[in-house]
Amino acid sequence: MRKAILINPDEKPRAVEVEGLDTLQELVGGYIELMRGPIPGTNTFVNEDGKRMRLPLNRQATALHAPYLMGGDVICGPVVIVGIDDEGDTIDAPAEAWEYFKIKPPA
């Protein structure tokens, strides 16, 4: 299991454990899309159809990812932030991410 950070629209970020693709899809509410994470050493998973499904605007995630969004794009729906290793594989979110969001990883 990977320790990750979930940001739901209009909620505080919280710690979650991700077992694999099924868990990621459940957390974001559909098919996943991978994007660059807001903190070095992270990636973010979003719902690839979030806007089409008219999921709620995720203001916090949009603001965090603004440097990587094109043309005023926004993020709709939940996002999951994970860590990545040197080969691009998913690992636990790094210490910097937990510190940034001021939350503790799952035990």
Side-chain angles (χ1 to χ4, degrees):
M1 260 190 257
R2 302 289 180 229
K3 297 172 183 173
I5 298 165
L6 174 67
I7 305 174
N8 282 307
D10 301 322
E11 292 182 17
K12 291 182 179 181
R14 66 181 175 95
V16 293
E17 292 185 324
V18 176
E19 291 186 41
L21 177 61
D22 290 341
T23 306
L24 284 169
Q25 289 178 328
E26 182 180 319
L27 289 168
V28 302
Y31 293 112
I32 59 169
E33 180 178 344
L34 177 67
M35 61 186 297
R36 183 177 182 169
I39 297 161
T42 65
N43 275 338
T44 299
F45 290 99
V46 302
N47 184 317
E48 80 173 10
D49 296 319
K51 289 184 285 262
R52 187 183 60 74
M53 294 170 63
R54 298 184 180 199
L55 295 178
L57 172 64
N58 192 324
R59 289 177 178 83
Q60 183 174 10
T62 297
L64 286 169
H65 293 82
Y68 313 113
L69 297 173
M70 307 267 301
D73 199 5
V74 296
I75 297 173
C76 294
V79 304
V80 178
I81 298 174
V82 297
I84 53 170
D85 65 16
D86 292 337
E87 296 172 4
D89 293 326
T90 299
I91 59 174
D92 292 346
E96 295 83 6
W98 300 105
E99 291 167 12
Y100 179 86
F101 291 108
K102 296 179 175 63
I103 56 177
K104 293 183 180 183

